[in-house]
Amino acid sequence: MPGAPDSAYVAARRVLLDALEALNAHLDALVLVGAQAIYLHTGEGDLAVAPYTTDADLAVDPNALGPVPALEAAMGAAGFALRTEPGIWFGAGAVEIDLLVPEALGGGGRRGARLGTHGNRAARKARGLEATLVDNTPMAIRALEDYDNRGFEIAVAGPAALLVAKLHKLAERQGAADRLQDKDALDILRLLRETETEALASTVGGLLSDERSTHVARESIDQLRALFGSEGAAGSQMAARAAQPLEDQATIAASVTALAADLLRALE
Amino acid sequence: MGFSETQLISSIEEQLRRRLPSSWTLDVKREPKAPHGRADAHFRLRSPGGGETQLIVEAKASVEPRNVMTMVTLLRRFTDATLLVVAPFLSARAREELVAAGACYADSTGNIRLVLDDPALFIETAGASSNPFPAQRVFPIRSLKGPAAARVVRGLCDFAPPYGIRQLATGVGASPASVSRVVDLLDREALLTRGPRGEVSTVDWPGVIRRWVQDYSFTESNRAETFLEPRGLGALQRRLAKSGATYAVTGSLPAALVAPVASPRLAAVYVENTMRAADRLGLRTAEAGANVLLVEPLDPVVFDRTWSRDGVSYCGLSQVTADLLSGPGRGPAEATELIRWMEANVDAWRT
């Protein structure tokens, strides 16, 4: 709903700023991704369903990452704690910050990214994020509370890269259908709605031709077709489920399908 | 003397039978079904030689000379058959105009002109030269179905009385006869009160809207088609704000601006031409999941007395209320909230 941002979003922003403060020496290696980045591009949009923005996702580019301070030490000093999984940090009020390394750059191992002096637990690997290192723009991220005057300029993934990343996330976890996955599908609609098709197609074209992201971009086009190719397709139905009861399910399914078809046509 | 339409047609039938050569026959069919609209009656004339022809009968409470050309032109859009315009009384000027427009006529006083080529027939007789009927000579109506009723009902809701019949007629662009009929009906149903000179002195406007939607239906009285705006209703509104064409948004969107119940899911937009508007607004035809209704209205009154917010033009609230009350989904609930707001803020919308 329009108006003041909700308290969970305000808290999530506060903890994101805590993390950026802790990682100040590494800001050039970070890209804001995930729901918070999507929200920065799309705002509330026209959907009656609020975006899910209670955690923050930061992509880490190992090639731009300096040796000091060590990620784990810096995060720990700022009050963040790892629980069990690598890369999943909890800050004040149990707000989650994920440090994610594009899979192609994360080295061997199953989950934790191999980050040399930074160890194997500070960040986890995630497929599809490669595109966010290519398509991003610096934006000012400021606190949403009057008494907090912190602000950082940080790269924020562009809509095309976010689309590629979300599609990989959806495709990877397809089958494990739950409400959170459904919200990811609705985020696809947010990105498609708030970005002009031609502009989106042109940036995806750039991702296809950049060797760092060629592979994941190509995969994402197949994923888009498979997940959103028809109103009955899995992704379209997930988006429709996430939007109920505030939005009409059939309208959401028809809308995401129509815009996906527009993008696929523009990419041909 | 007041005439009902049935009485009038019987009277004309009687006049014609008396003047037709005895070898001719006349069959009358009242309110016959026709592909476009409905004629008041068909008169079938058969000559002794077996030739026959059909007259399309248009019954009028009264005929203003200046309206004859328009009336005949409109009737001609639906039929090539011979037109017979009938009324309780036709003035000399009205008769001249009817001849000039190529229509036959007959009134209940005996003014008749009937010219047929095949089979050939010519009847011209003179009746009264001045109107023998007292001032009130309108057909009582029982329904608020048509476009004229829409204009008058909207006017009664939107304009704060007192006002006379003629004044209201000028205000809403309807004939005094139409206004008089609608006002009579609402008077009979105690939804308005009248002063000593017949002027409208108070109007129970929520009652008038509720009475209107017994006969008027948003989805059936207008011509609506469904579309999809995949980027959502906000995107549609931004496009409308930039559109130079004639349109007015009705239904949930304006209701939500005034008295919100829930987020609107369906936009309803009156336009002059559905397909052209869909094209201009970049809408897609939709079977399932439509979120936009484009509607060609019963009467252009929907474009009158609009208001705007953020550059988007919305229907007058009396129209919005009627459309919601007679519309799909949770429209009636939204209309109830809207009426509540309108009652508390009469000065904001009634002039």
Side-chain angles (χ1 to χ4, degrees), chain A:
Chain A
M1 296 278 100
D6 73 9
S7 58
Y9 184 59
V10 172
R13 175 64 61 87
R14 188 192 316 129
V15 178
L16 169 63
L17 292 170
D18 292 345
L20 294 178
E21 207 172 4
L23 302 177
N24 203 13
H26 299 304
L27 286 189
D28 289 346
L30 302 178
V31 180
L32 182 65
V33 301
Q36 295 230 25
I38 291 174
Y39 186 71
L40 286 171
H41 289 296
T42 67
E44 294 281 353
D46 289 333
L47 286 171
V49 186
Y52 185 77
T53 47
T54 50
D55 57 3
D57 299 331
L58 288 166
V60 181
D61 179 358
N63 297 327
L65 196 61
V68 284
L71 288 178
E72 269 193 66
M75 289 294 278
F80 285 90
L82 277 175
R83 292 218 179 135
T84 48
E85 298 271 321
I88 300 182
W89 295 87
F90 289 88
V95 173
E96 185 182 324
I97 299 275
D98 290 4
L99 296 184
L100 306 159
V101 172
E103 191 185 60
L105 307 176
R110 213 157 61 86
R111 291 198 171 144
R114 302 289 184 258
L115 291 177
T117 56
H118 297 283
N120 301 338
R121 287 184 46 81
R124 60 194 276 119
K125 296 197 289 183
R127 189 162 177 77
L129 284 181
E130 290 78 0
T132 67
L133 303 185
V134 179
D135 171 30
N136 60 61
T137 336
M139 288 173 88
I141 309 291
R142 292 182 213 290
L144 299 173
E145 293 153 309
D146 290 341
Y147 62 83
D148 190 346
N149 55 16
R150 292 178 297 171
F152 297 91
E153 191 175 90
I154 178 183
V156 176
L162 290 165
L163 185 69
V164 171
K166 274 281 173 199
L167 283 166
H168 274 86
K169 191 173 169 196
L170 274 173
E172 216 162 71
R173 308 231 293 249
Q174 208 196 337
D178 60 37
R179 187 80 181 151
L180 284 184
Q181 291 297 299
D182 290 352
K183 280 177 180 287
D184 283 328
L186 196 57
D187 281 340
I188 300 279
L189 175 60
R190 286 181 214 281
L191 288 166
L192 292 173
R193 266 192 171 178
E194 302 302 323
T195 320
E196 286 302 326
T197 302
E198 292 71 28
L200 197 55
S202 149
T203 317
V204 173
L207 293 173
L208 285 167
S209 56
D210 189 306
E211 60 180 17
R212 291 172 292 172
S213 51
T214 305
H215 195 64
V216 292
R218 184 161 300 137
E219 280 177 341
S220 75
I221 293 171
D222 294 336
Q223 290 159 348
L224 183 65
R225 196 174 287 120
L227 289 166
F228 297 96
S230 74
E231 288 163 34
S236 309
Q237 285 301 308
M238 289 165 84
R241 269 200 305 276
Q244 68 165 350
L246 293 175
E247 298 275 351
D248 183 82
Q249 292 202 56
T251 297
I252 296 298
S255 298
V256 73
T257 307
L259 293 172
D262 286 354
L263 179 59
L264 289 168
R265 231 184 343 264
L267 285 168
E268 271 168 11

Side-chain angles (χ1 to χ4, degrees), chain B residues 253-316:
Chain B
L253 285 172
L257 289 175
V258 174
V261 173
S263 307
R265 294 172 170 192
L266 183 69
V269 188
Y270 284 114
V271 295
E272 291 178 311
N273 179 291
T274 305
M275 282 305 155
R276 273 205 295 277
D279 196 41
R280 200 169 48 237
L281 295 167
L283 300 175
R284 344 232 162 153
T285 50
E287 286 157 21
N291 57 356
V292 181
L293 277 178
L294 292 184
V295 189
E296 290 175 16
L298 170 72
D299 186 275
V301 70
V302 299
F303 302 121
D304 291 348
R305 302 186 291 284
T306 55
W307 50 284
S308 72
R309 180 80 60 86
D310 298 329
V312 179
S313 182
Y314 297 97
C315 286

